[in-house]
Amino acid sequence: MARPTAAVLTVSDGVSSGTRADGSGDAAEELLAGAGFEVSAREVVADERGKIEAALERLAATNALVVTTGGTGFGPRDVTPEATKAVLDREAPGLAEAMRAAGLAHTPMAALSRGTAGTIGEALVVNLPGSPKAVRESLEAVLPILPHAMELSEGMTGAHPAAAVPAGSETPAGGGSAAAAPPEDRVEVTAVKVVAGAPPCRVGMRMTIAPGGPAAGTLGCSEFDTQAVEAAAHAAEHGDATTAVLHHPDGDVEVFIEPHRSPPRVFAVSATDVARALRRHLTPLGYRVVVVEPRRERVAADDEPVVPSLDGAALSERDAVVLTDHDAPYASEVLAEAAGSKARFVGMMSSRRHVAHHLDAVRAMGVPDEIIARIHAPVGLDLGRKDADGIALSIAAGVIADANGTDGGWLDR
């Protein structure tokens, strides 16, 4: 997804004349780039209202965000606030107040800053002070809320460009921690019809909501957004798509609410032929199979994504852990870790003779018998196959049967 564009406008007689370096503009660009913005323009103008106004209108026409540095104090040439207010469509005083409050935590002189903020069309404009230190303090104070402010200004219908990709929705090349990241459910709430009046929401506006977590996008106002979050929590709990009518003093809007459950995960411990076959069987059925293997010399190119351990996986009641190599030096420790986790299904591929040794080792680690009792060992349904594909199929069948609350028995018996 393309990054949101930002422009930095330095207002300074000294910088425009070449007698002073633009340290404030450099600081603003560095912070914006680090926050995910593409700084597409850097301009410098003297402390003259006409030039400031013209530059603001020009930059706002092609950027989502415009920040100015300098000209916000009490000097006779400090006219940035007046020039900015002259071209704003709407002011956002809360942003300016937050920046002044952040400055006051460091110096009482911050009370003299007269910077303002607001919108020109769909672009957000923010005045910053003139020193690099004050630029950092002020911009850091408002960076966390700028994406949502831009969404409200632009009426964006999807996740804002600075939003992070939900964990597990993408896997970086070579696997890595994202492959083992905890699954995240989401609910899409989309405005589909204006029911009454003239609500502050257009058809097609959308929010993406993680139940109990962050929300991206907007339905045009805080009233609709709050109701959407509540409706999303209900839909996530029941798991069914539905519609609802959201209410606002200016009018009502109908929304379509669609929950999306993240795929269940199966951690196949050890890079073996059975683990590879397990992935082939389960992936088409909607599972995300992650190979766990700390011994990199055993990892083949098609084993990715691979993680070295279960650390960071935050195993949940929708996860399964299957050990496919009972001879691995870490087998007993991983079995104990998985058994003591929230994972719904824990199993080990082994003969009954070898399983007893591992269960005794797990018991010696202090794992209580009631926890050990939930380990499926040997794991899988009895399909009578001894090859890697057949064993993996029997394990996959057991995982699926357990997830659906059945014993995997014959339908005619």
Side-chain angles (χ1 to χ4, degrees), residues 244-329:
V245 175
L246 308 185
H247 305 285
H248 187 275
D250 293 339
D252 302 337
V253 64
E254 182 179 355
V255 295
F256 177 62
I257 306 168
E258 184 178 18
H260 298 271
R261 300 206 75 183
S262 58
R265 302 178 299 174
V266 175
F267 291 89
V269 182
S270 298
T272 64
D273 287 342
V274 171
R276 296 169 187 122
L278 194 60
R279 173 179 286 161
R280 291 195 298 271
H281 290 313
L282 287 175
T283 298
L285 299 177
Y287 286 81
R288 178 150 51 101
V289 181
V290 180
V291 174
V292 180
E293 179 58 83
R295 301 166 294 182
R296 290 301 299 180
E297 70 276 7
R298 293 176 177 255
V299 176
D302 58 355
D303 288 333
E304 304 290 357
V306 176
V307 294
S309 70
L310 294 176
D311 293 345
L315 295 170
S316 75
E317 63 279 356
R318 294 174 60 195
D319 295 325
V321 179
V322 177
L323 283 78
T324 67
D325 179 7
H326 65 81
D327 288 328

Side-chain angles (χ1 to χ4, degrees), residues 9-37:
L9 176 64
T10 298
V11 181
S12 168
D13 289 334
V15 177
S16 66
S17 65
T19 60
R20 185 163 63 85
D22 189 12
S24 298
D26 292 340
E29 180 177 9
E30 178 185 347
L31 283 174
L32 291 171
F37 289 88

Side-chain angles (χ1 to χ4, degrees), residues 379-407:
V379 66
L381 305 185
D382 186 2
L383 302 183
R385 293 277 294 266
K386 302 301 182 182
D387 57 293
D389 264 312
I391 294 171
L393 181 60
S394 74
I395 296 173
V399 170
I400 295 169
D402 180 80
N404 289 282
T406 71
D407 60 4

Side-chain angles (χ1 to χ4, degrees), residues 198-221:
C201 178
R202 300 193 306 270
V203 170
M205 294 183 76
R206 178 182 305 158
M207 291 185 71
T208 301
I209 301 165
T218 182
L219 297 180
C221 66

